[in-house]
Amino acid sequence: MTKIFRLTMAQQNPTVGDIAGNAALARDAWEAGRAAKADLVALPEMFITGYQTQDLVARPAFVADAMLHIRTLALDCADGPALAIGGPMFEDDRLYNCYFVLSGGKIIATMRKHFLPNFNVFDEVRLFKSDGISGPYTIGTDGPRIGSPICEDAWYPDVCEAMTESGAEILLVPNGSPYFRDKFPIRMNKMVARVVENNVPLVYLNLVGGQDDQVFDGGSFVLNPGGQLAVQMPVFDSDIAHVDFQKTDQGWEAIAGNKATLPDSIEQDYRVMVEGLRDYMRKTGFKKVLLGLSGGIDSAIVATIATDALGPDNVRCVMLPSEYTSQGSLNDAAAAANALGVKYDTVSIAGPRAAVTEALAPLFGDRPADLTEENIQSRIRGLLLMAQSNKFGEMLLTTGNKSEVAVGYATIYGDMAGGYNPIKDMYKTRVFETCRWRNANHRDWMQGPAGEVIPTAIIDKPPSAELRPDQKDEDSLPPYDILDGILKMLVDDEASVAECVAAGYDRDVVKKVEHLIYISEYKRFQSAPGPRLSNRAFWLDRRYPIVNRWRDGS
């Protein structure tokens, strides 16, 4: 009779700090595995605490609470399949990122992470200690020997090779791997390499869900020896898959199962913005949002993301017109709100602006109007929106794209006011592309309506802050196709000025953009969080000093 080993892969969405809630999710997954007669139910890296915990995991009481729930899970899940789950552990005053295997009411194996990532959004060297490479474990009396390299451990040959040399017949890799654009092929290539090197099946099990600026995209999969794909779970969805492994003359192999189709990068980016906002709201306890809807493209796409994340009944848009607001913008904002089916209010800034102007007149005297008066308008809008947020308990969304965030084309304490920015890591040119994509596409995870929800007039008109007569963004900035090209080189690629010039950009324009990036660091330091779409998002991916006099002379 052919030996069969059944693994339940639980691609689930934990919440950082909700240890009891995460344990309940683990218990539910275990129950699903038991009902399916699984031998082992596996959950991802650091599942019991949620991930990433940052410095919270350095608190001994937090780790003790996590371990208490791990031991309780072992007791609760004693009668049925084994349960594998990630969590932290203090041992001899050293903190480890661990993977626990629970069976028969106790912890039967503990893996400790060997390679600790210390780049981009990861600071694990600061938090955890590395340990030696763990050996494999066995489930039951005749099950396969399983090695569990934890996330980063599988990105290099060493740990997987040592585990298979020690007898591992299947590699089960628990991950907490957050999204960035086009990351999936990188993961897949790394895991295929491990399979080819060691000639054993590999299970890649990832988290899903949003945590602050990071969104974990799932996409868990199973590879057979030779690198053939046996199972592909969906991206972004909580899901459970039961995978059977059979013993052959050549060793264990997975029986082929469902293979989800993965969306293209623009759809995945959009899904990240939706899921990032949805989980940020759910996990912080907010139910409703508001935002200033100007009739421009950035606020229109943010309103659409919010509607898709939360539903029209939980989104309120506010037009805050001045004498510089065009009739076209008034019409476009109203049309966008109507298309989305959200509540739409109008609050004029004329009265507050006149009061501020009168209050400051004795001090300003006959000084000519300049950027000060433009910023006053933006800050009045921020004040009025924050007042509504306080009064109605709605979280204010801010709407600055990555191009504006990069060069500081935003008013601190004005249009930067808010608790979350869904498009913080999306360049302006990508915003246009995303609006066209959303108008043409609808998915079942979107809670907003199908069809043209962003009026074509908004997409087609030249961007303007409308803070003075006939203002256009290009009065202050290069055209966005040029600006974004330079920003991608300077920010995303860390290119030199000389490299930008060699790529065809005017040196004076490049130097201006470089200067704006550096002098805007203080604004970014105080900006709202937003979902990470690239591997060079502002905050943890790119950490620059606020005070910095260096400029590239190349």
Side-chain angles (χ1 to χ4, degrees), residues 410-453:
T411 304
I412 196 166
Y413 320 125
D415 56 327
M416 289 179 65
Y420 195 78
N421 180 356
I423 62 170
K424 184 176 183 179
D425 197 32
M426 178 169 280
Y427 285 118
K428 185 80 166 191
T429 47
R430 185 83 167 183
V431 170
F432 283 101
E433 185 180 359
T434 301
C435 288
R436 295 186 183 98
W437 178 88
R438 176 57 180 85
N439 278 349
N441 294 274
H442 192 267
R443 302 289 184 260
D444 58 8
W445 45 265
M446 299 174 181
Q447 295 187 34
E452 185 180 289
V453 290

Side-chain angles (χ1 to χ4, degrees), residues 303-518:
T304 306
I305 291 166
T307 305
D308 283 338
L310 307 171
D313 291 344
N314 294 311
V315 179
R316 188 166 65 88
C317 295
V318 185
M319 162 58 80
L320 300 114
S322 73
E323 67 266 36
Y324 303 123
T325 304
S326 68
Q327 186 60 48
S329 291
L330 293 169
N331 296 342
D332 291 342
N338 182 65
L340 290 168
V342 300
K343 185 172 175 56
Y344 180 68
D345 292 317
T346 300
V347 179
S348 172
I349 70 167
R353 184 173 177 233
V356 171
T357 301
E358 181 181 357
L360 291 173
L363 292 175
F364 286 3
D366 58 359
R367 291 172 181 261
D370 54 19
L371 186 62
T372 305
E373 283 71 23
E374 295 182 23
N375 286 341
I376 285 172
Q377 296 173 63
S378 181
R379 290 186 175 121
I380 288 171
R381 290 186 170 110
L383 171 67
L384 294 173
L385 288 168
M386 282 304 305
Q388 294 172 69
S389 174
N390 292 157
K391 183 62 70 175
F392 302 125
E394 301 160 333
M395 189 175 74
L396 175 60
L397 300 180
T398 183
T399 61
N401 61 71
K402 189 173 184 177
S403 309
E404 295 172 348
V405 171
V407 297
Y409 193 65
T411 304
I412 196 166
Y413 320 125
D415 56 327
M416 289 179 65
Y420 195 78
N421 180 356
I423 62 170
K424 184 176 183 179
D425 197 32
M426 178 169 280
Y427 285 118
K428 185 80 166 191
T429 47
R430 185 83 167 183
V431 170
F432 283 101
E433 185 180 359
T434 301
C435 288
R436 295 186 183 98
W437 178 88
R438 176 57 180 85
N439 278 349
N441 294 274
H442 192 267
R443 302 289 184 260
D444 58 8
W445 45 265
M446 299 174 181
Q447 295 187 34
E452 185 180 289
V453 290
I454 301 165
T456 303
I458 290 178
I459 300 173
D460 291 344
K461 69 182 178 183
S464 171
E466 293 192 327
L467 297 172
R468 63 176 184 267
D470 301 318
Q471 184 181 20
K472 300 290 184 291
D473 287 4
E474 290 185 11
D475 297 341
S476 305
L477 300 172
Y480 278 111
D481 57 339
I482 294 174
L483 176 62
D484 287 357
I486 295 170
L487 289 173
K488 288 173 185 175
M489 293 190 72
L490 292 178
V491 175
D492 295 18
D493 301 334
E494 296 287 2
S496 67
V497 168
E499 288 171 322
C500 293
V501 173
Y505 295 107
D506 180 84
R507 190 177 192 280
D508 289 342
V509 175
V510 174
K511 289 297 293 180
K512 176 184 178 181
V513 172
E514 177 206 32
H515 181 66
L516 290 172
I517 292 170
Y518 285 138

Side-chain angles (χ1 to χ4, degrees), residues 192-211:
V192 167
R194 301 294 85 81
V195 168
V196 171
E197 291 159 0
N198 297 288
N199 198 36
V200 296
L202 182 146
V203 178
Y204 181 97
L205 179 59
N206 196 19
L207 293 167
V208 288
Q211 170 58 31

Side-chain angles (χ1 to χ4, degrees), residues 135-259:
Y137 52 92
T138 303
I139 303 299
T141 56
D142 60 354
R145 289 180 62 74
I146 300 172
S148 285
I150 302 172
C151 199
E152 190 77 5
D153 287 342
W155 283 63
Y156 309 100
D158 314 51
V159 175
C160 294
E161 180 181 326
M163 287 181 172
T164 53
E165 287 180 351
S166 299
E169 299 168 288
I170 296 174
L171 294 173
L172 166 59
V173 186
N175 293 270
S177 181
Y179 175 87
F180 63 73
R181 189 178 304 121
D182 299 325
K183 186 178 186 179
F184 185 85
I186 301 172
R187 292 179 185 141
M188 180 62 77
N189 289 340
K190 293 286 186 182
M191 297 308 109
V192 167
R194 301 294 85 81
V195 168
V196 171
E197 291 159 0
N198 297 288
N199 198 36
V200 296
L202 182 146
V203 178
Y204 181 97
L205 179 59
N206 196 19
L207 293 167
V208 288
Q211 170 58 31
D212 294 347
D213 65 317
Q214 295 165 48
V215 173
F216 297 90
D217 54 324
S220 305
F221 55 85
V222 180
L223 298 173
N224 267 324
Q228 292 85 8
L229 181 68
V231 174
Q232 175 65 67
M233 296 178 73
V235 287
F236 304 110
D237 294 327
S238 293
D239 196 21
I240 288 178
H242 308 293
V243 183
D244 286 340
F245 292 83
Q246 62 183 356
K247 185 70 176 288
T248 72
D249 292 340
Q250 288 75 41
W252 290 89
E253 68 175 17
I255 297 174
N258 292 333
K259 296 174 186 174

